[in-house]
Amino acid sequence: QVHLVESGGGWVQPGGSLRLSCAASGSIFSIDVMGWYRQAPGKERRRVAIIWSDDRTDYTPSVKGRFTISRDNAKKTVYLQMNSLKPEDTAVYYCFGSGAWGQGTQVTVSA
């Protein structure tokens, strides 16, 4: 089974940037598709961005133009570059791939 670990979360002011990382390890050596999801307090978990092994991507409209998902297949790592952050981006961000979830990393955007 695959094990996913997110990192890079933290607190930033509106307009700031963060880069999240999701490192995969374990018995799975290739993951065709991986995604970033987020869950704000009291709300359901929703997909933010997804990336396939051929680098095709898809974004939820609220982050398009501000967030960029990318992957390094050799490192088995997926990134989420988040720019122009807004308070409504505040959530726990989770990585998902190959049937596994990471533990989540907190992103807080406030003045």
Side-chain angles (χ1 to χ4, degrees):
Q1 63 181 20
V2 68
H3 181 62
L4 305 176
V5 178
E6 303 98 333
S7 62
W11 175 85
V12 294
Q13 293 186 341
S17 297
L18 287 172
R19 190 182 192 187
L20 307 183
S21 298
C22 172
S25 63
S27 61
I28 303 299
F29 295 97
S30 65
I31 302 176
D32 290 336
V33 60
M34 299 188 70
W36 285 98
Y37 296 69
R38 66 187 181 187
Q39 186 168 22
K43 303 183 72 176
E44 67 270 26
R45 189 176 300 182
R46 292 185 175 273
R47 191 168 72 192
V48 176
I50 190 168
I51 185 167
W52 284 264
S53 59
D54 62 0
D55 288 334
R56 289 179 296 124
T57 59
D58 191 38
Y59 300 90
T60 191
S62 64
V63 309
K64 192 172 181 62
R66 300 188 297 119
F67 291 12
T68 302
I69 187 171
S70 61
R71 64 189 295 165
D72 185 329
N73 292 323
K75 296 182 177 179
K76 297 180 180 178
T77 301
V78 178
Y79 305 94
L80 186 68
Q81 178 67 47
M82 305 185 294
N83 299 325
S84 302
L85 283 161
K86 304 175 180 179
E88 53 262 43
D89 296 318
T90 295
V92 178
Y93 283 70
Y94 298 89
C95 181
F96 180 84
S98 194
W101 290 96
Q103 84 288 348
T105 185
Q106 176 71 48
V107 172
T108 302
V109 185
S110 65

